[in-house]
Amino acid sequence: MRFDEYRAHDATGLALLVASGDVTAAELVEIAITRAREVDPTLNALVQWQDDAARVRAAGALSGPMAGVPFLLKDLFQAQAGIVETSGSRSGVSSRPRVTDTVVQRWLDAGVVVLGRTAVPEFGAKGVTEPQAHGATRNPWDPARTPGGSSGGSAAAVASGIVPVAGASDGGGSIRIPAAYCGLFGLKPGRAVVPAGPRAGEMLFGSAVTGVLTRSVRDSAAFLDIMRGSDDDAPFEFAAPSTSHVEALGRPGPRLRIGVAARSALNNAPHPDVLAALDRARDLLVELGHTVEEVASPFDEEQLARDFLVPWFVHLAAEVSSASAAARPTTTEFELDTLVLAEIGRATRAVDHDAALARWQDHVRAIAAFHRRFDLLMTPTTAGPAPLIGAFDTPFVERVGARLALALRLGPILGRLGAVQDAVMRSLSAVPYTQSANLTGRPAMSVPLSETVDGLPVGVHFLAPPGGETRLLVLAAELESARPWFDRIPADVLSERVG
C-alpha cells in the first residue's frame, strides 16, 4: 500500500482492509512511521516514539473493531503503565504512571496500534500547543500557525496523515478548537459518557472528558462506541445505550430546530470568514430541511468565562503542587505563565472557588431553558482561523513584572493585575464559544464545513442537551454527505524545520 492509498481511508476503512487480509497491520504501521518521520521535523507533533513496541504489536494477533489501525495517544490524561507521560511539562520527564487509563485500555482492546504520544501545552492549560518542554507544534495547513490546543499534537498528526485518528481530550475546547484549526471533525462527549478512571473519578470537576480527533464522522461514532460506558471507578454510573452510534448513522435523523448565535460578549467582532462560514452552514441546514433561527447567546458569557477561569487556576495550582512533590523540580522547570496562573489559583479564596463552581449550575439552567425551545445551539467554533505561532506569548515587560511578583509571593496582587487579566481574556476572546459545553457537561462538536478565502479551515460548532451525542453524530453525517470534507487535505508538509 502506498501512502496516498493509506490516506484515502479512514480508520474504519483501514480496519476493514486488515480484517479482509488485503493489508496487514505491520504494513500500516510502517506507512505511519515513515510518514511521521517525514513530516514531524516540521510539525513537531510527536513527543514520544514507540516504533519498536508498535512493530511488535502489529506483528502479533490483534482483534477488535479497529484491529491494526495506527493510533497516537495524547500526552495528557491518557496513561500507559510504565510509559512516560510528561503532560507537556519539563517536570514530568520522569513521570511513569503505574496504571493504564481505562479509556486507553479500551482503545487497545479494540485493536489499535499505538505509535507514540502527541504534544500538549503544559498541563493542557492553553488553547495553543507551544510548550517549552518540547517546542511549538505547527499546523499542517500553514506551519507558521498553531494547530490549537491542548490536543494540538493529535490534530497535526491526523491532519497531516500520520494516523487517521488520535486520542484527544477536552476541558475547555481542546478537541473542538484543534479540529476547527486543522480541518478535522471533533466531538466532545458529554459529562461521564467516557470514563476517567482509574486515576480519577472525573477530570477537572467533571468539565474535562476524553475523546478523539478524526477525519470522518463514522470514525468518531465508532470510537465513541469503544470508549463509552462507566468503569468501576466512576463516581456515578453512565450506562451505555444498547444501540451503537455507528448503527444510528445508518438511519435518517429528525429535522431539527437550531438556534444560531454568531457573536460572543467576549468577542463581538469574529473574523469575517468565520461569519461567512456560519452563514453558509445555516443555508445548508435550511436546504436540508432544518429550521434555523438567529438567537442571542443563552449564557451570561462574561460571568461564564470568570466561572471557567477560577477553577482552572485552582486546578493548575494543584497540578504544579503535585508535580513538585512527585519530581522535586525547581520552579524554573515550570513555565512562567503556568507559575503565574498557579499562583493566582493558590491565592484564590476557598469561598470564591466554591461560588464559581456553584454558579456552573446557573449556566446549566440557562442552556436547559434554551434546549426546551431548540434542539441545538450553533455558533462558530473559534473567532478566527488558526493564529500564528507565538501570537499569545507574554510580552517581555509583563514577564519581568510577573517574575518579580512571584519572587515576592504576591499572588493576590497578580490576580488583580490588569496585564494578567488582559492576557487571559485576549486568549479566551480567540476561542469564546467552547467553554460553555464543558461547564454544563453537554456534548458538542466542531464540523469542518468551510475555510477562509486563504484556504485555512474554519469550524462550525453545535451544542446539544445531555445524551445528545447521537443527535450530533447523525447531523454531522448528514452535513458530511451534503458537503464532503474528507478529501480536503492540506498541501504536503515539507520535512524541514520552520523557524
Side-chain angles (χ1 to χ4, degrees):
M1 175 180 279
R2 301 187 310 270
F3 170 70
D4 61 329
E5 296 171 319
Y6 169 81
R7 195 176 196 173
H9 293 85
D10 61 2
T12 301
L14 292 175
L16 290 172
L17 291 176
V18 172
S20 67
D22 290 335
V23 69
T24 67
E27 289 177 86
L28 297 183
V29 164
E30 291 304 324
I31 293 170
I33 290 173
T34 298
R35 179 61 174 173
R37 295 293 181 186
E38 178 185 32
V39 300
D40 200 63
T42 295
L43 299 180
N44 196 29
L46 276 70
V47 298
Q48 186 183 121
W49 301 74
Q50 299 176 20
D51 297 12
D52 292 342
R55 289 181 172 117
V56 170
R57 179 170 169 82
L62 294 171
S63 61
M66 291 292 161
V69 173
F71 192 79
L72 288 163
L73 297 173
K74 181 177 178 177
D75 197 31
L76 179 73
F77 297 147
Q78 294 176 15
Q80 293 171 286
I83 303 297
V84 170
E85 181 186 44
T86 72
S87 300
S89 176
R90 290 168 292 190
S91 67
V93 295
S94 60
S95 173
R96 294 181 183 271
R98 297 180 179 180
V99 296
T100 295
D101 284 336
T102 300
V103 69
V104 174
Q105 190 59 56
R106 289 182 179 179
W107 287 330
L108 294 171
D109 292 343
V112 303
V113 180
V114 173
L115 305 179
R117 303 180 70 82
T118 61
V120 299
E122 188 166 52
F123 301 124
K126 293 183 178 180
V128 296
T129 302
E130 301 173 24
Q132 292 176 10
H134 306 294
T137 298
R138 298 178 180 275
N139 193 319
W141 291 86
D142 179 357
R145 297 178 181 270
T146 179
S150 63
S151 306
S154 291
V158 175
S160 64
I162 296 173
V163 290
V165 58
S169 59
D170 193 316
S174 292
I175 288 174
R176 293 158 288 153
I177 294 166
Y181 288 162
C182 293
L184 305 176
F185 179 68
L187 174 74
K188 182 200 86 70
R191 183 176 184 178
V193 171
V194 176
R199 296 186 297 170
E202 293 188 292
M203 297 184 293
L204 195 58
F205 314 107
S207 66
V209 294
T210 300
V212 293
L213 282 159
T214 70
R215 290 174 58 210
S216 73
V217 174
R218 71 173 183 173
D219 274 0
S220 285
F223 273 84
L224 186 56
D225 283 340
I226 291 165
M227 294 184 291
R228 66 185 184 170
S230 303
D231 61 5
D232 294 339
D233 301 294
F236 41 82
E237 183 178 4
F238 170 80
S242 57
T243 303
S244 82
H245 294 294
V246 172
E247 292 172 357
L249 298 184
R251 300 187 294 271
R255 299 304 86 186
L256 303 174
R257 188 179 184 195
I258 300 170
V260 56
R263 288 173 170 79
S264 164
L266 301 182
N267 189 331
N268 198 40
H271 194 284
D273 289 348
V274 164
L275 296 177
L278 196 67
D279 287 341
R280 288 193 291 271
R282 176 170 41 199
D283 292 344
L284 176 60
L285 288 163
V286 171
E287 289 175 17
L288 294 171
H290 302 283
T291 299
V292 183
E293 298 179 26
E294 192 165 331
V295 298
S297 172
F299 301 105
D300 180 341
E301 292 175 317
E302 292 182 344
Q303 185 64 59
L304 188 145
R306 289 191 290 270
D307 294 336
F308 169 74
L309 290 172
V310 168
W312 248 111
F313 295 161
V314 172
H315 170 75
L316 198 55
E319 288 285 339
V320 169
S321 177
S322 176
S324 297
R328 299 185 182 277
T330 63
T331 55
T332 56
E333 288 183 296
F334 297 106
E335 296 177 18
L336 178 60
D337 290 350
T338 298
L339 290 172
V340 168
L341 299 183
E343 186 65 22
I344 294 172
R346 194 175 294 110
T348 299
R349 299 187 309 164
V351 291
D352 294 332
H353 182 234
D354 184 73
L357 288 176
R359 281 191 296 270
W360 286 18
Q361 188 58 36
D362 294 340
H363 307 304
V364 168
R365 283 190 286 269
I367 193 61
F370 172 87
H371 279 137
R372 284 192 282 272
R373 298 177 53 226
F374 295 94
D375 296 301
L376 299 174
L377 172 65
M378 180 173 77
T379 67
T381 306
T382 63
L388 295 171
I389 298 289
F392 297 103
D393 286 353
T394 304
F396 174 76
V397 173
E398 293 178 17
R399 293 178 68 84
V400 171
R403 289 190 187 281
L404 179 61
L406 286 170
L408 297 176
R409 304 294 293 180
L410 300 178
I413 294 176
L414 272 173
R416 293 193 296 270
L417 280 179
V420 174
Q421 297 293 344
D422 289 348
V424 171
M425 295 311 290
R426 181 165 58 94
S427 178
L428 276 186
S429 71
V431 288
Y433 305 101
T434 54
Q435 296 81 31
S436 58
N438 299 89
L439 264 65
T440 62
R442 269 52 182 172
M445 67 179 181
S446 180
V447 185
L449 286 176
S450 197
E451 56 191 35
T452 69
V453 294
D454 296 325
L456 295 173
V458 173
V460 177
H461 189 257
F462 296 87
L463 188 154
E469 288 83 5
T470 296
R471 182 183 300 176
L472 291 173
L473 287 165
V474 169
L475 176 63
E478 184 180 10
L479 294 171
E480 183 182 36
S481 177
R483 189 172 293 168
W485 61 72
F486 188 83
D487 293 329
R488 194 166 68 231
I489 58 177
D492 209 3
V493 181
L494 298 177
S495 56
E496 56 186 54
R497 293 194 182 278
V498 177

